Every structure is written in structure tokens, then in C-alpha cells.
Amino acid sequence: MALAIAWLAGALYTPAASAEDGYDLWLRYRPVEGVRADAYRMRVSRLVAGDAMPTQAVTRAELLRGLGGLLGAAPPLSEAAADGAVVVGTPMSSPSIARLGLELGDLGRDGYLIRSVTLDGHAATVIAANEDIGALYGAFHFLRLLQTGQSIERLDVREAPRVKLRVLNHWDNLDGHVERGYAGASIWDWHKLPDWRAPRYADYARANASIGINGTVLNNVNADALVLTPMYLEKAAALADVFRPYGIRVYLSARFSAPIEIGGLETADPLDPQVQRWWRDKAEEIYRTIPDFGGFLVKANSEGQPGPQDYGRSHADGANLLADALAPHGGTVMWRAFVYSDEEPDDRAKQAYSEFVPLDGEFRDNVMVQVKNGAIDFQPREPFHPLFGAMPDTPLMMEFQITKEYLGFATHLVYLGPMWEEVLRADTHARGEGSTVAKVIDGSLHDHRLTGMAGVANIGSDRNWSGSHFDQANWYAYGRLAWDPELSSRSIAEQWVRMTFSGDDSFVATVVDMMMGSREAAVDYMTPLGLHHLMGSNHHYGPGPWLGGGPRTDWTSVYYHRATRAGIGFDRTASGSNAVAQYAPPVAREFGDLETVPEEFLLWFHHVPWDYRTQSGRPLWDELVHRYTRGVDYVRGMRETWRGLAGDVDPERHAQVAAFLAIQEKEAQRWRDASIAYFQGISGLPLPEGYAPPPHSLEYYESLEFPYAPGSGR
Amino acid sequence: MALAIAWLAGALYTPAASAEDGYDLWLRYRPVEGVRADAYRMRVSRLVAGDAMPTQAVTRAELLRGLGGLLGAAPPLSEAAADGAVVVGTPMSSPSIARLGLELGDLGRDGYLIRSVTLDGHAATVIAANEDIGALYGAFHFLRLLQTGQSIERLDVREAPRVKLRVLNHWDNLDGHVERGYAGASIWDWHKLPDWRAPRYADYARANASIGINGTVLNNVNADALVLTPMYLEKAAALADVFRPYGIRVYLSARFSAPIEIGGLETADPLDPQVQRWWRDKAEEIYRTIPDFGGFLVKANSEGQPGPQDYGRSHADGANLLADALAPHGGTVMWRAFVYSDEEPDDRAKQAYSEFVPLDGEFRDNVMVQVKNGAIDFQPREPFHPLFGAMPDTPLMMEFQITKEYLGFATHLVYLGPMWEEVLRADTHARGEGSTVAKVIDGSLHDHRLTGMAGVANIGSDRNWSGSHFDQANWYAYGRLAWDPELSSRSIAEQWVRMTFSGDDSFVATVVDMMMGSREAAVDYMTPLGLHHLMGSNHHYGPGPWLGGGPRTDWTSVYYHRATRAGIGFDRTASGSNAVAQYAPPVAREFGDLETVPEEFLLWFHHVPWDYRTQSGRPLWDELVHRYTRGVDYVRGMRETWRGLAGDVDPERHAQVAAFLAIQEKEAQRWRDASIAYFQGISGLPLPEGYAPPPHSLEYYESLEFPYAPGSGR
């Protein structure tokens, strides 16, 4: 009895250090149970792996750490093959692998194969690649097989990434504030760099390498020119040193006016020889400090940032200026297409296309144009950006936002995989049917060698990296999709759940189902039926459909929903802004016609009366109310589901997820109620049967303020 | 062989979770080794402790956690006494303790006794107190005995705090920035409060309770009135709920102009009846939300903060306004004496005294005046503040700065215990010899019941709480000195080292010696011989002895060192500002006379020629150079010492400390070189034999900029 009590009490003094706080991400390497473990041990009797080069050393360390955790003990290291040997390396680094004469030709620099082979008469597993970094990716793949409980007999895996540059964009300011960051402060401790290299930097690199990410932009696209000064280059170089063994290159956001701010020049005109020399010299200085520097990311002439148009030059002039400076060193320019002029366009959604399509073909070979998935700004749902497929002679990078600026910050459980999959599988029809966005991004549609995908990071100083445990899945899914844009978001979610929480099949099925519906739920309770840009101003937290007024109408909500007593929606057909015409004819026809437009884009492209009959048979107003309510119900359902999983997840992570789901339900309810209260005031229509009226007045919802909501721009 | 390699490799995959990252602070509870453990187990065969009340529950949980960690297994819980029983509680909560009839009378609310007793014929240990919170403090004391390897036989401990309010001041802004914070962002996640109560909040409370801290001011003294709005009071209430079982009360910094900013009044005049009503209503609202709210901390009419003087009223008028509002609820006002007017005084050091001494006796009973240890601002060394002893009719709180704003931020190893001990033991002579500052603070000198000590926290979101492992010692030392201002800083350091690193006697002696000299070293390389306020402007990082000019001279360096070709130092004697006259006559005589002034205060009180002969026999200039150099040498010595301890500390903490010591040496060297370069330019004197000249020109040192040094005011 007393012992029983003591045992219970024992739960109270588990040392904090071993708590499940999420720091390990999907690399937890907890022991595999039962017969499966024995089967694995048979196939992992020893490890043959070199450590002559840094990347080889981290590969070997990761395998020892991972296999040691998963199998209870690390396999002994050995030189010779034996039954159950795992042999890792390249023909250069491993004589055994060289002897096998595997065809690695088509795997490129990052690819690998994992194969069950007979080596010197022994049954062995080989993880082989052309380069050390490929072997590291292969090692993570092999570990993932064990983490997800798959068989490692008769393996024959061939993998190579479909996208060349797989890059994180950190919107981190030099003062530690992260714009649109909901996971604490920046993980870059600039003040203590370069002298103090926090262990977390290497864990960051490990996590990224495990999903194939090979580049990181350290600073905010709203850039501070100081990052290009010697003091900061030295700090960036220290990070590059830590990341290098993991195959991750450092990039910097470059402020276009840097030649004036830190160069002492009078101008930043891209055609000015002095300016050109300044950037050439700066590039040489950077490469002296960081020999494998990746290049520049640039936000120019957008939201008040300086750019070539300040001098009457084009985006191509600006991008080529930096491209010429980087070219001798092999660097790349990632030039963002997220632009809008200081004057208001007739439709902001049209502006990137209008500015960039005429420039197609004018960019240097080492320039990529980085395009957000949609034409507005990372909304819960947007149709694919019309630029995709419209610039055949320019390699276009995809820019996804991993951090949930418009999708509930850290506390809303919203798995973004389905949103990204939806965009990547969208058909641009640029070269006839099947011209998917994925094929634009991987270069296959227009035959580009230089390809890339960028993800705006959701990483911060919070212990669990992403602010919430489930937001780790979005980091993971981004990396996997950057490696292969045609993966299914469900298979990615399943993989992640098994590695992060549990391999129990029914648990996995339950959680994956919950995740897969979560994004549609957010669309429902925030912006159903193609509505968009209805959030609070500046911090973008919570509903603000009533926002109007200055400084410019295309920063308001009323500009986008255009609700009147007569109807609601943004007419982007020929009778309106005709943004639809920016798509290829078949797409333009589909989106432009009320008969064929997918209902989820209805109010994105059309202005319709409140009594417009939707596919459900309900009038539009009723359908709106129905969807707002459905979104809240889904969140309530997730709470119940999660409550039922209490026994299957460690108490610490279960408690945080449960608390966050409670916050999500409260906020989803507020989105629903505030939106209905506002739109009802305009439509003047009664709520349909059985739908609860908002508990507060519209004035109440309008009065709510959130002065220090995180992640605001500065 | 292979196994040996595997074993070595094993070191590489220790799961990150069990890393020694400093999160556990001094509450690590690692297993006690050998015979001592057996002796402890004899005396800890079971635990008799209730959990009927929250504080009882956390006390029991801490004992189970601590004893479980230290002894390998938690003692079973039991109702009945037995040999080796540890019985914890109050006469109310524990019949056994009631039966013992212990004299607890003089222990008050927070005191406790720990005694080896015979209980029902069994040899037991009793931890008894009048209140549950006293028992919690006693439990932590008992655990500390085991953590520091002391005998627990024949125990007879009686402890009660000498100071009533032992409070942390967090200079945390509502946006998460910590003014003068060097350990990351604020640990308060205001956005997710009140719904999400991070586990870290309870760990924060545990750590504070373990050293007797019983109050915390959540927000910056440069206060935002919003913290007094319902939205934030709810958030503060959630923290208060978490802290309550640990005996920690929540306080808030109140902005004096809040009645205007959030109350919609025209004025904040303390004599205005509307203003008085507003504060009364606000206090009632607060206590409805936080029944045990501690009170207000106020920075008024200082550095641009609003205050009563804006309306021609005195600090007493302002303090009493808030005191009257809090009085019905038992709240306290902590009114800061750190003031200086917008006009420049003849000597800033004199101002607090000039403004507050005339108000002695005019404050309400629930007002304390909070005085910094010195008259300027937390410099590496200051003479004790002349206000101590000079306001017999007003309870004065000590304000220490735990965060190292002027002592090297997080990376310099500077143990502040000796600095605080120096101040507390200083003799004010207010009531004749022996009138120490400690006796002013603990109320014994002028017979005050209301006593307090405040420490400006060095706590942030960094995993190790304080930014560096050794800065945890300053948090610890502050708490212990607040409990008993007459403890020796060396004994505190020894305790801390044993709990934090190792119980090995030679290791402890080495590290404690290193710590004990570290503050003097910082004084040497930054501001020797009584120099002060010579740091970089705004961020206060690095040397800036050359700083002059606007906006006001008493924010410059030249104002304080007054160096000319003829000499250096601030004449605060009768021939100068006569600040020395603010001390009691014996002290004034000692400090005012070149013959008797302690050399460490020489240039604080006197302006002397460069060839003034110091006690070493060296001319002042040579002595200055000598001390600057000695400081750097000490840091170099700490690096060597620490290198030698590599085997005795876990690699993770050893590596961080080593990296920080390298930074400290670099920065100490810069302080030394920049200061010598600057003062040599003024003195025009050659460097003494054998002292290296600065490697760079003065221009170089003046040109260094640190735009985003952490912790700046905003």
C-alpha cells in the first residue's frame, strides 16, 4: 500500500530533464518494442561508416545515436562486412561500396540508394551515394524506416530530390524579434556570436538535414543593411561552420539600399557603376568569410522596401545587379515577386503578374523569382498564383509560409500539408492539361535546372521549436514536399505522427484524420467560400471583417469582401478587375464562370447575391453561417478526440495540446461569431434555423484589442 | 575493440533530453554516492506528510522528488511514525507534530525548525512550522542538507527570515522584451495567458520558494498602464494561481499616469478626489481578481516617468495615494528612490537623498521606499547609498540588481555575493557604530516591522534561466541574502556550487575561490579605484569613458571621471559637490579625507593628480594601469582554472562556461585597453614598465558600435 502510494508519488519527481518537451522533434529515437526490434537487430549487427570528413562524422554519429536509441544499444563500429552490417558511404569513402559497383549516376549530389545486398558473402544493407551529403540523407531515411516501423529486409530504395534549393526563410530581426514568429524569439543569439555556438544550432541543422532542407536565410526579408557589415558576416560565418557538415548553406536577405546605408554611396541605382562595384566587392568580401555562401534573398519595392523602381529601373535590373556580383562565386539571387506599388492598383491580386510577366527572360541564369503560393498573402485558402506557368523562361521558386500568420498563430492545430498539396497539384494548363504547379517548381514543365522552394520558418526559441507540438508537423511537411512536391500530405502526416508520438496504428489513424481536416476547419471558421484578408490589422490576430479606411484600401477587409446589402464577394471576372484573365484560358474559363468555379473560390472571383444558391442547395447567407459553424464544430471535435487519447501520449505534451485546443475553440468561436455578427449587419438576413446567434454585439467584437499580439511587423 | 569504439561512440547519442542544460538550477537532486547515501537512507525510511492543502501537496511532492533523486528511490509515504521517519507539517496539519508540543512561537509565518526527535519511541526527523509555507521552506532546507552532504543526525535547526518581503523585480515589457535582460525574452507568455499555464511557471515558483523568495513584480518599472486593465489582470491572476502554493505573491509596477491613460481622467494628481477614487476602485478590482495581490512598485518622476511632481506634489503624496487604495486589502507600495529631475543637479549622486530625507515620516504605514545599493546606478562598486540610516521613520527596502547590466551581461563570470555583502555590512553610523545597512534593511536599527529586499531579476527564456550557468549563483545568493542579510557570500557560494556542480571538496574550493575574486576583477578591468559610469551609452555594453555631450551631462562618462591633464576623480568633498556630507559624520569624515578614504572609493569622492601616491606606493596613473591589467589577468586565470576542471563537470556546461570565459577575457581586455588608451590621451603619461600598450588606437575603440546589444531600454 505504502509502496503503491510511493510509486504514484514517484510520478511527481520525474526529473524535468527527461520530460517530453518536444525539443527532440521527430528525431526522438525512442526504443522499438517487441519482435520488430529483434528483426531490426538482426539486420543491424554492426555499422561500417567512416568519419574522415565532417559530413561523414555527423552521419555516423546520427546513426549511432538513432540506432542506439531505437534498438537500446548502438551497433558496434567495424571495418569489415558481416551479416547484418549496415554499410554507409560513397565509392570514394568506402571501399566496400566501391566494390559493389552500384549505379549511382542518376542520383546527383543529394540522392542516395538503400539496398539489401550480399557483401563478401554476408547479408548487409548499404546506404550509398555519390557525395557524403547524399549518404547523410540516406542515413536519415534508413532511420525513418525504423522509426515508422517498416521492414528493412529486401530494401531497394532510390531517392533524389526533385527540387535543388530547399530553403528556410527566417523573418528574424537582428534584435531577436521574429516578424510573424509565434514560437518565442529568434534562435540566433547574434550578440554572443561568433564566439558562442549554442548546441541548438547543430540540433537545428540536424533536424533540417533529416528532411532534406539544404539552405537557410538567416534574417528578415524586411532587411537591415547591417547584416552585410563585417561584424555580422563573421557571426553568419560561425553559423555556416556549424551548418556545413549537414549540407546547409547560409543565405542573407539583402537590403537594396545597402550601398547607401553602409557603403556611403549617394545612390543604389542598379545601373550605376559605383553601385555595381560596391556589390561586387561586397560579394567578394562575403565569400572570403563564407566560402559556400548561398546567395541573397531580396524583397524590393514592396511594402515600403527600397528597390530598383526607386531609380526608374525594373525588378530585372535589380536582380541582375546582385546576380552579377554573386555569379563568379556560384551564388544565387532569390528575388521575391511579392510586390505592390505604393499607389493602389485596381486589384492587388493582379500586381505581381503585371510587373513580372513582362520581365520573363530578362533575368540572369542565377536568378530565381520567388512567388508566394497565392496572389494575396498566405491566406487560409487562395487559388494558385497566376504567375505559375506564366514565366516559362524564368525559374520560379515556391514560397510557402510555415509560420501560421493567418492560420491561428501557434495555438491553432492546423496542419498545412493539405493546403500545400492543393496548390502543388493545381493545374496551370500552361502547357496543356497536367501542367501542375509542382512541375513548374521542379523545373520539369519548362526545363529549368535551377529549382527551389522556400518556407517561411516557424522556428523560435520556444523549447519545442515551433511554439506548439503540432506545428512541428508543418516544418516537417514543408521539408518533405520541398524534396518531392508530389508526395501526399496524408502520408507525410502519418510518417510524422509515428516518429513524433506513437506507432500505434489506431492512434496514428485517429490523429492523422484529425490533422487532415484541420486546415479546412480553419478556412471554415475564418474565411469560408473564397473570402480572404479579413483579419485584425497589423498583428493579423483574430477577426476584423469590419476594417476599412486608411492608409490604403487594399490593406482593409472591406476591400476584399465587398459586402453590401445586395451581395458579397470580389468580382475578378471580366465584369470586375478581370484578374481571372491572368490564368491560362482553361483555368480562366473555369474560375470566371459561376457555373464551373470551385465553390471554395466562389467569393474570391465572384460577387454574388446573398440568396445565391450554393451546391448544398442553401442560399449563400445560410451556407456562410453553416460553414462558420462547421469550422467551430470541427475544433470541438478535435478537443474530444484528443481528450480520448490521454492515455496514448505522455502527459506533458498531451496537456499542452489540450490547452491549445481549448484556446483554438475559443478563438474559432470568436471568428465565427464576430464574422456572423458583422455580415448579418450588412445582409440584414435572419440566421437559419438551429444556428446560435453571436453571444455579443458587433460593437463588442469590434472593441476587442490585442496590443501585444506576437509577431507584428516593426 | 569494436565494443570500445561503440562505447565511445555511445557518448555521441546521449539523448538531448537528459543533457545538463542548467534548467534544473540548484535543484538537480542527483544521486548521493557511497556511505553517505546509506547514512541518509537510515534517516529517511519513510515520509509522513499531508497534502490536504496546495502548499502541503507541493511540499510533499518536492520531498518525494528530491529524496527520490538524491537517494535513488522516494521514501514510501506513511501515516505512522517509524525509525527514520521524516515528519513534515504544522500542529494544524499533523497530529504527530501537535503532540510534540514544539515551541514554534517565535518562528512567525515563514519560519521553521528541523529537529531529530523521538516520536512514539522512534527516532524521527521533524520539519515543523506554524504555517504550511514555513514547512515548505523547511523541506527545502532539509533537502539542501542532503544536497550539500551535511549530516542529518542530531539536527536542531531554527530558521526564520530576517526580512519580510523578499521580492524579485522583473523589468519585463508586455511585448516580451526584458529591459536589461541578458537571458533571452521574458518568461511570461502574456499572449497565451491566462489559458496556457506553461510548466515553467511552476518551476520558477519552486526555484524561488527554495531560496525563500515570496514575491514577484511581473512587469517593468518603466510601466505600461495596460497591465492594470482587466485583460492583463486576468493573465496576472493565472500566474498568481500557479505561484500561490509556493508562497509567492504577485505585484505589479503601476504607471502613475494610469488614471489618464486607461481611466479616461484628465489628471493623475494624487490630491484629486477623482484620481483617488479611480485608484481605490482599481485596487478593489485587482483584489477581486487576485485576492492575495501583493501591491504596487512605482518608478515616478525619474528618467521621464510620470509622477506626483508633474502636479507639484511630493513623492509622499504619490505613494500615499496608492497606499490608501491598497490599505483596505493589505497591499504594500514599494516606491523607488531612484529619481533624478529633468534638470541637471550639481551632483546626481545627491538627488535621491535631497528629495526623500525631507519626506521622512510622511509616508503611510504600508509604504516602503526602495533604495538602490548605491547612489548612482548599480555600478561594479559604489559606496552604500547615503539614504540608508537617514530615514529612521520610513522603512527602506534594498534594491539589488541581479541582472548584470553594468557587470558584463550574461557572459562575464561575476559573482555578486561579495558586492552585496560589502554593502549590507557597511556601517552607516546612523545610531553609532554597528549601524549596518543590514540592520536598516531588516528593520532592527529603527524598529520597523515592514521590511523588504528587491532584486532585479536575471531570469529569461534561455534554457538555463539566467543566460549563463554561473549567473544562477546570483539569483541564488540574492534569495539567501534576502532571507538573512548577514550570511557570508562565501558560504552561499559554497552551498550553491555543491548543489549545482559537485560535492568534491577540492572542486568546490577551487570554484568558490574563483567566484569570490570575480567581482573585484570586474571592478579592476572596468572601473578601478572608485571610477564609475564609464560604459557605452544606452546599451551599457563595453567601455565608453570618452562619452560626453548631450542630452545631459550627468548621462555622460566625462561628468563622472572629470579627468584632465591635472588629475582625475569626482570631488564630492566640501570643496566639490559635498555629497559626502549626506553620510553620518563619522562616515563623512572617513570618505571625505584623502588620508582615510578607502582606496576603492578614492576617485568616487576625490579629484587627485595623476602622480598621487597610492597605498601600493605607485603613482595613481601607474596604479590605474596596474589594476586594469590585474583584472584581465584574473579572467585569464579563471580560464586556466576552468580548463583544469574539465573532468569534473559535465561536458555541456563545461563547454558553455569555457566559451563565455573566452568572451569575458576578450571583453575585459577591450575594457582595459580602451580605458588606458583614453586616459593616457588625457594624462599624457607613459605606461609603467612592463605593461603592454593598447593594440589599437583610441579612435578604433571609439569607433566600435554594438547596435543590437541586448537589454536596451525602449
Side-chain angles (χ1 to χ4, degrees), chain A residues 676-695:
Chain A
I676 289 176
Y678 170 74
F679 286 121
Q680 186 171 34
I682 295 177
S683 73
L685 296 168
L687 286 188
E689 236 357 86
Y691 289 91

mmCIF file of all heavy atoms in Angstrom, chain A residues 676-695:
data_model
loop_
_atom_site.group_PDB
_atom_site.id
_atom_site.type_symbol
_atom_site.label_atom_id
_atom_site.label_comp_id
_atom_site.label_asym_id
_atom_site.label_seq_id
_atom_site.Cartn_x
_atom_site.Cartn_y
_atom_site.Cartn_z
ATOM 1 N N ILE A 676 -20.179 36.493 -38.275
ATOM 2 C CA ILE A 676 -21.641 36.436 -38.497
ATOM 3 C C ILE A 676 -22.294 37.737 -38.040
ATOM 4 O O ILE A 676 -23.134 38.314 -38.732
ATOM 5 C CB ILE A 676 -22.245 35.213 -37.777
ATOM 6 C CG1 ILE A 676 -21.822 33.926 -38.493
ATOM 7 C CG2 ILE A 676 -23.757 35.317 -37.705
ATOM 8 C CD1 ILE A 676 -22.286 32.648 -37.812
ATOM 9 N N ALA A 677 -21.859 38.245 -36.887
ATOM 10 C CA ALA A 677 -22.454 39.499 -36.386
ATOM 11 C C ALA A 677 -22.231 40.615 -37.403
ATOM 12 O O ALA A 677 -23.132 41.413 -37.684
ATOM 13 C CB ALA A 677 -21.827 39.867 -35.043
ATOM 14 N N TYR A 678 -21.050 40.648 -37.981
ATOM 15 C CA TYR A 678 -20.736 41.727 -38.934
ATOM 16 C C TYR A 678 -21.519 41.559 -40.238
ATOM 17 O O TYR A 678 -22.208 42.474 -40.689
ATOM 18 C CB TYR A 678 -19.240 41.749 -39.215
ATOM 19 C CG TYR A 678 -18.860 42.675 -40.355
ATOM 20 C CD1 TYR A 678 -18.879 44.064 -40.188
ATOM 21 C CD2 TYR A 678 -18.523 42.171 -41.608
ATOM 22 C CE1 TYR A 678 -18.544 44.917 -41.241
ATOM 23 C CE2 TYR A 678 -18.184 43.013 -42.664
ATOM 24 C CZ TYR A 678 -18.209 44.390 -42.478
ATOM 25 O OH TYR A 678 -17.879 45.223 -43.508
ATOM 26 N N PHE A 679 -21.451 40.381 -40.819
ATOM 27 C CA PHE A 679 -22.099 40.191 -42.124
ATOM 28 C C PHE A 679 -23.619 40.223 -42.008
ATOM 29 O O PHE A 679 -24.303 40.662 -42.924
ATOM 30 C CB PHE A 679 -21.619 38.899 -42.779
ATOM 31 C CG PHE A 679 -20.206 38.983 -43.317
ATOM 32 C CD1 PHE A 679 -19.214 38.127 -42.866
ATOM 33 C CD2 PHE A 679 -19.875 39.946 -44.261
ATOM 34 C CE1 PHE A 679 -17.916 38.217 -43.359
ATOM 35 C CE2 PHE A 679 -18.576 40.044 -44.763
ATOM 36 C CZ PHE A 679 -17.598 39.182 -44.303
ATOM 37 N N GLN A 680 -24.132 39.812 -40.845
ATOM 38 C CA GLN A 680 -25.585 39.895 -40.680
ATOM 39 C C GLN A 680 -26.045 41.350 -40.680
ATOM 40 O O GLN A 680 -27.091 41.687 -41.225
ATOM 41 C CB GLN A 680 -26.040 39.200 -39.397
ATOM 42 C CG GLN A 680 -27.553 39.127 -39.263
ATOM 43 C CD GLN A 680 -27.989 38.250 -38.104
ATOM 44 O OE1 GLN A 680 -27.318 38.188 -37.074
ATOM 45 N NE2 GLN A 680 -29.106 37.551 -38.269
ATOM 46 N N GLY A 681 -25.172 42.208 -40.103
ATOM 47 C CA GLY A 681 -25.497 43.632 -40.113
ATOM 48 C C GLY A 681 -25.583 44.184 -41.529
ATOM 49 O O GLY A 681 -26.276 45.174 -41.776
ATOM 50 N N ILE A 682 -24.892 43.541 -42.437
ATOM 51 C CA ILE A 682 -24.910 44.007 -43.832
ATOM 52 C C ILE A 682 -26.017 43.311 -44.621
ATOM 53 O O ILE A 682 -26.811 43.949 -45.292
ATOM 54 C CB ILE A 682 -23.535 43.757 -44.486
ATOM 55 C CG1 ILE A 682 -22.471 44.608 -43.791
ATOM 56 C CG2 ILE A 682 -23.590 44.085 -45.978
ATOM 57 C CD1 ILE A 682 -21.075 44.392 -44.318
ATOM 58 N N SER A 683 -26.099 41.986 -44.469
ATOM 59 C CA SER A 683 -27.111 41.249 -45.254
ATOM 60 C C SER A 683 -28.511 41.513 -44.706
ATOM 61 O O SER A 683 -29.487 41.440 -45.440
ATOM 62 C CB SER A 683 -26.836 39.739 -45.182
ATOM 63 O OG SER A 683 -27.193 39.239 -43.889
ATOM 64 N N GLY A 684 -28.573 41.824 -43.415
ATOM 65 C CA GLY A 684 -29.891 42.067 -42.814
ATOM 66 C C GLY A 684 -30.735 40.817 -42.743
ATOM 67 O O GLY A 684 -31.938 40.883 -42.508
ATOM 68 N N LEU A 685 -30.136 39.657 -42.962
ATOM 69 C CA LEU A 685 -30.906 38.404 -43.013
ATOM 70 C C LEU A 685 -30.896 37.689 -41.668
ATOM 71 O O LEU A 685 -29.952 37.819 -40.889
ATOM 72 C CB LEU A 685 -30.307 37.493 -44.086
ATOM 73 C CG LEU A 685 -30.385 38.038 -45.523
ATOM 74 C CD1 LEU A 685 -29.520 37.220 -46.465
ATOM 75 C CD2 LEU A 685 -31.839 38.047 -45.989
ATOM 76 N N PRO A 686 -31.944 36.938 -41.396
ATOM 77 C CA PRO A 686 -32.005 36.180 -40.140
ATOM 78 C C PRO A 686 -31.080 34.960 -40.205
ATOM 79 O O PRO A 686 -30.730 34.493 -41.290
ATOM 80 C CB PRO A 686 -33.467 35.718 -40.087
ATOM 81 C CG PRO A 686 -33.868 35.618 -41.515
ATOM 82 C CD PRO A 686 -33.135 36.720 -42.240
ATOM 83 N N LEU A 687 -30.684 34.477 -39.040
ATOM 84 C CA LEU A 687 -29.889 33.258 -39.007
ATOM 85 C C LEU A 687 -30.767 32.084 -39.410
ATOM 86 O O LEU A 687 -31.941 32.040 -39.053
ATOM 87 C CB LEU A 687 -29.339 33.011 -37.605
ATOM 88 C CG LEU A 687 -28.189 33.905 -37.154
ATOM 89 C CD1 LEU A 687 -27.636 33.403 -35.823
ATOM 90 C CD2 LEU A 687 -27.091 33.941 -38.196
ATOM 91 N N PRO A 688 -30.215 31.145 -40.156
ATOM 92 C CA PRO A 688 -31.009 29.952 -40.489
ATOM 93 C C PRO A 688 -31.375 29.178 -39.229
ATOM 94 O O PRO A 688 -30.706 29.296 -38.198
ATOM 95 C CB PRO A 688 -30.091 29.147 -41.402
ATOM 96 C CG PRO A 688 -28.711 29.718 -41.227
ATOM 97 C CD PRO A 688 -28.892 31.135 -40.799
ATOM 98 N N GLU A 689 -32.433 28.404 -39.339
ATOM 99 C CA GLU A 689 -32.900 27.512 -38.285
ATOM 100 C C GLU A 689 -31.744 26.843 -37.555
ATOM 101 O O GLU A 689 -30.834 26.300 -38.204
ATOM 102 C CB GLU A 689 -33.707 26.401 -38.964
ATOM 103 C CG GLU A 689 -35.139 26.157 -38.537
ATOM 104 C CD GLU A 689 -35.654 26.996 -37.397
ATOM 105 O OE1 GLU A 689 -36.144 28.131 -37.616
ATOM 106 O OE2 GLU A 689 -35.546 26.516 -36.256
ATOM 107 N N GLY A 690 -31.763 26.856 -36.240
ATOM 108 C CA GLY A 690 -30.860 25.990 -35.481
ATOM 109 C C GLY A 690 -29.432 26.482 -35.349
ATOM 110 O O GLY A 690 -28.580 25.755 -34.850
ATOM 111 N N TYR A 691 -29.158 27.684 -35.811
ATOM 112 C CA TYR A 691 -27.801 28.224 -35.649
ATOM 113 C C TYR A 691 -27.823 29.309 -34.573
ATOM 114 O O TYR A 691 -28.617 30.237 -34.636
ATOM 115 C CB TYR A 691 -27.277 28.782 -36.968
ATOM 116 C CG TYR A 691 -26.960 27.695 -37.961
ATOM 117 C CD1 TYR A 691 -27.923 27.247 -38.855
ATOM 118 C CD2 TYR A 691 -25.707 27.084 -37.977
ATOM 119 C CE1 TYR A 691 -27.650 26.233 -39.761
ATOM 120 C CE2 TYR A 691 -25.416 26.067 -38.882
ATOM 121 C CZ TYR A 691 -26.376 25.654 -39.769
ATOM 122 O OH TYR A 691 -26.110 24.640 -40.659
ATOM 123 N N ALA A 692 -26.943 29.150 -33.588
ATOM 124 C CA ALA A 692 -26.954 30.072 -32.447
ATOM 125 C C ALA A 692 -26.502 31.461 -32.880
ATOM 126 O O ALA A 692 -25.553 31.588 -33.659
ATOM 127 C CB ALA A 692 -26.030 29.546 -31.358
ATOM 128 N N PRO A 693 -27.186 32.502 -32.394
ATOM 129 C CA PRO A 693 -26.744 33.869 -32.695
ATOM 130 C C PRO A 693 -25.475 34.178 -31.904
ATOM 131 O O PRO A 693 -25.203 33.545 -30.888
ATOM 132 C CB PRO A 693 -27.915 34.726 -32.210
ATOM 133 C CG PRO A 693 -28.560 33.910 -31.134
ATOM 134 C CD PRO A 693 -28.381 32.460 -31.556
ATOM 135 N N PRO A 694 -24.678 35.125 -32.405
ATOM 136 C CA PRO A 694 -23.483 35.534 -31.651
ATOM 137 C C PRO A 694 -23.871 35.999 -30.250
ATOM 138 O O PRO A 694 -24.860 36.716 -30.103
ATOM 139 C CB PRO A 694 -22.929 36.694 -32.477
ATOM 140 C CG PRO A 694 -23.477 36.504 -33.855
ATOM 141 C CD PRO A 694 -24.829 35.878 -33.653
ATOM 142 N N PRO A 695 -23.128 35.595 -29.223
ATOM 143 C CA PRO A 695 -23.478 35.964 -27.850
ATOM 144 C C PRO A 695 -23.260 37.444 -27.545
ATOM 145 O O PRO A 695 -23.803 37.960 -26.581
ATOM 146 C CB PRO A 695 -22.552 35.089 -26.996
ATOM 147 C CG PRO A 695 -21.414 34.735 -27.882
ATOM 148 C CD PRO A 695 -21.968 34.692 -29.276
#
